[in-house]
Coordinates of all heavy atoms in Angstrom, one line a residue:
L185 N -40.6 22.5 -1.9 CA -41.7 22.6 -2.9 C -41.7 24.0 -3.5 O -41.8 25.0 -2.7 CB -43.0 22.4 -2.1 CG -43.0 21.2 -1.1 CD1 -44.3 21.1 -0.4 CD2 -42.7 19.9 -1.9
P187 N -43.7 26.2 -6.0 CA -44.8 26.4 -7.0 C -44.5 27.5 -8.1 O -43.7 28.4 -7.8 CB -45.9 26.9 -6.1 CG -45.2 27.6 -5.0 CD -43.9 26.8 -4.8
A190 N -50.3 29.0 -8.2 CA -51.1 28.2 -7.2 C -50.9 26.7 -7.5 O -51.3 26.2 -8.6 CB -52.5 28.5 -7.2
T191 N -50.3 25.9 -6.5 CA -50.0 24.5 -6.8 C -50.3 23.8 -5.5 O -50.0 24.2 -4.4 CB -48.5 24.4 -7.2 OG1 -48.2 25.2 -8.3 CG2 -48.2 22.9 -7.5
T192 N -50.7 22.6 -5.7 CA -50.9 21.5 -4.6 C -49.8 20.4 -4.8 O -49.7 20.0 -5.9 CB -52.3 21.0 -4.6 OG1 -53.2 21.9 -4.4 CG2 -52.5 19.9 -3.5
F193 N -49.2 20.1 -3.7 CA -48.1 19.1 -3.7 C -48.5 17.9 -2.8 O -49.1 18.1 -1.8 CB -46.8 19.6 -3.3 CG -46.3 20.7 -4.2 CD1 -46.5 22.0 -3.8 CD2 -45.4 20.4 -5.2 CE1 -46.0 23.1 -4.6 CE2 -44.8 21.5 -6.0 CZ -45.1 22.8 -5.7
I220 N -48.7 12.7 2.1 CA -49.0 14.0 2.6 C -49.3 15.0 1.5 O -48.6 15.1 0.5 CB -47.8 14.5 3.6 CG1 -47.6 13.6 4.7 CG2 -48.1 16.0 3.9 CD1 -46.5 14.1 5.6
V221 N -50.5 15.7 1.6 CA -51.0 16.6 0.6 C -51.0 18.0 1.2 O -51.5 18.3 2.3 CB -52.4 16.3 0.2 CG1 -52.8 17.2 -1.0 CG2 -52.4 14.8 -0.3
T222 N -50.4 18.9 0.5 CA -50.4 20.3 1.0 C -51.6 21.1 0.4 O -52.3 20.6 -0.5 CB -49.2 21.1 0.5 OG1 -49.3 21.3 -1.0 CG2 -47.9 20.3 0.8
P223 N -52.0 22.2 1.0 CA -53.0 23.0 0.4 C -52.4 23.7 -0.8 O -51.2 23.5 -1.1 CB -53.3 24.1 1.5 CG -52.0 24.2 2.3 CD -51.5 22.7 2.3
S224 N -53.2 24.4 -1.5 CA -52.6 25.2 -2.7 C -51.8 26.3 -2.2 O -52.2 27.1 -1.4 CB -53.8 25.8 -3.5 OG -53.4 26.5 -4.6
I225 N -50.5 26.3 -2.6 CA -49.6 27.3 -2.2 C -49.0 28.2 -3.3 O -49.0 27.7 -4.5 CB -48.4 26.7 -1.4 CG1 -47.6 25.7 -2.2 CG2 -49.0 26.0 -0.1 CD1 -46.4 25.1 -1.5
N226 N -48.5 29.4 -3.0 CA -48.0 30.2 -4.0 C -46.5 30.5 -3.8 O -45.9 31.3 -4.6 CB -48.8 31.5 -4.1 CG -50.2 31.2 -4.8 OD1 -50.3 31.2 -6.0 ND2 -51.2 31.1 -4.0
V227 N -46.0 30.2 -2.6 CA -44.6 30.5 -2.3 C -43.9 29.2 -2.0 O -44.5 28.2 -1.7 CB -44.5 31.5 -1.1 CG1 -45.1 32.8 -1.5 CG2 -45.1 30.8 0.1
M228 N -42.6 29.3 -2.0 CA -41.8 28.0 -1.7 C -42.0 27.6 -0.3 O -41.9 28.4 0.5 CB -40.3 28.3 -2.1 CG -39.4 27.0 -1.9 SD -37.7 27.4 -2.3 CE -37.8 27.7 -4.0
W229 N -42.0 26.3 -0.2 CA -42.1 25.7 1.2 C -40.9 24.7 1.4 O -40.5 24.1 0.4 CB -43.4 24.9 1.4 CG -44.6 25.6 1.8 CD1 -44.8 26.9 1.7 CD2 -45.7 25.0 2.5 NE1 -46.1 27.3 2.2 CE2 -46.6 26.1 2.6 CE3 -46.1 23.8 2.9 CZ2 -47.9 26.0 3.3 CZ3 -47.3 23.6 3.5 CH2 -48.2 24.6 3.7
Y240 N -42.6 22.6 8.6 CA -43.0 23.4 7.4 C -42.5 24.8 7.6 O -42.8 25.5 8.6 CB -44.5 23.4 7.3 CG -45.0 22.0 7.1 CD1 -45.8 21.4 8.2 CD2 -45.0 21.4 6.0 CE1 -46.3 20.1 8.1 CE2 -45.5 20.0 5.8 CZ -46.1 19.5 6.9 OH -46.7 18.2 6.7
V241 N -41.8 25.4 6.6 CA -41.3 26.8 6.6 C -41.6 27.4 5.3 O -41.2 26.8 4.2 CB -39.8 26.9 7.0 CG1 -39.5 28.4 7.0 CG2 -39.5 26.3 8.3
A242 N -42.5 28.5 5.3 CA -42.8 29.0 4.0 C -41.8 30.2 3.7 O -41.3 30.9 4.7 CB -44.2 29.7 4.1
A243 N -41.5 30.4 2.5 CA -40.5 31.5 2.1 C -40.9 32.8 2.5 O -40.1 33.7 2.9 CB -40.3 31.5 0.6
D244 N -42.3 33.1 2.7 CA -42.7 34.4 3.1 C -43.0 34.5 4.6 O -43.6 35.4 5.1 CB -43.9 34.9 2.4 CG -45.1 33.9 2.5 OD1 -45.0 32.9 3.2 OD2 -46.2 34.2 2.0
L245 N -42.6 33.4 5.3 CA -42.8 33.2 6.7 C -44.3 33.2 7.2 O -44.6 33.5 8.3 CB -42.0 34.3 7.5 CG -40.5 34.3 7.3 CD1 -39.8 35.4 8.2 CD2 -39.9 32.9 7.5
S246 N -45.1 32.9 6.2 CA -46.6 32.7 6.6 C -46.7 31.4 7.4 O -45.8 30.6 7.5 CB -47.5 32.7 5.3 OG -47.0 31.7 4.5
N247 N -47.9 31.2 8.0 CA -48.1 30.1 8.9 C -48.4 28.8 8.2 O -49.5 28.3 8.1 CB -49.3 30.4 9.8 CG -49.5 29.4 10.9 OD1 -48.6 28.6 11.1 ND2 -50.6 29.4 11.6
A248 N -47.2 28.3 7.6 CA -47.4 27.0 6.9 C -47.7 25.8 7.8 O -48.6 25.0 7.4 CB -46.0 26.6 6.3
N249 N -47.3 25.8 9.1 CA -47.6 24.7 9.9 C -49.2 24.8 10.3 O -49.8 23.7 10.3 CB -46.9 24.9 11.3 CG -45.5 24.3 11.3 OD1 -45.3 23.1 11.0 ND2 -44.5 25.1 11.4
G250 N -49.7 25.9 10.4 CA -51.2 26.1 10.6 C -52.0 25.7 9.4 O -53.0 25.0 9.6
Q251 N -51.5 25.9 8.2 CA -52.2 25.4 7.0 C -52.3 24.0 6.9 O -53.2 23.4 6.3 CB -51.5 26.1 5.8 CG -51.7 27.6 5.7 CD -51.1 28.1 4.4 OE1 -51.5 27.8 3.3 NE2 -50.0 28.9 4.5
M252 N -51.2 23.3 7.4 CA -51.2 21.8 7.4 C -52.1 21.2 8.5 O -52.2 20.0 8.5 CB -49.8 21.3 7.5 CG -49.0 21.6 6.3 SD -49.6 21.0 4.7 CE -49.6 19.2 5.0
Q253 N -52.6 21.9 9.4 CA -53.5 21.4 10.4 C -53.1 20.2 11.1 O -53.7 19.2 11.3 CB -54.9 21.2 9.8 CG -55.5 22.4 9.2 CD -56.9 22.2 8.6 OE1 -57.5 21.1 8.8 NE2 -57.4 23.2 7.8
A254 N -51.8 20.3 11.6 CA -51.1 19.2 12.4 C -50.8 18.0 11.6 O -50.5 17.0 12.3 CB -52.0 18.9 13.6
V255 N -50.9 18.0 10.3 CA -50.6 16.8 9.5 C -49.0 16.9 9.3 O -48.6 17.9 8.7 CB -51.3 16.7 8.2 CG1 -50.8 15.5 7.4 CG2 -52.7 16.5 8.5
E256 N -48.3 16.0 9.7 CA -46.9 16.1 9.7 C -46.1 14.7 9.2 O -46.8 13.7 9.3 CB -46.1 16.4 11.0 CG -46.6 17.7 11.6 CD -45.6 18.3 12.5 OE1 -44.6 17.5 13.0 OE2 -45.7 19.5 12.9

Side-chain angles (χ1 to χ4, degrees):
L185 313 178
T191 306
T192 298
F193 298 90
I220 293 180
V221 182
T222 72
S224 179
I225 62 176
N226 288 280
V227 298
M228 184 182 294
W229 276 21
Y240 302 104
V241 178
D244 63 356
L245 300 183
S246 57
N247 186 12
N249 279 296
Q251 293 182 64
M252 290 301 297
Q253 300 181 11
V255 176
E256 297 203 349

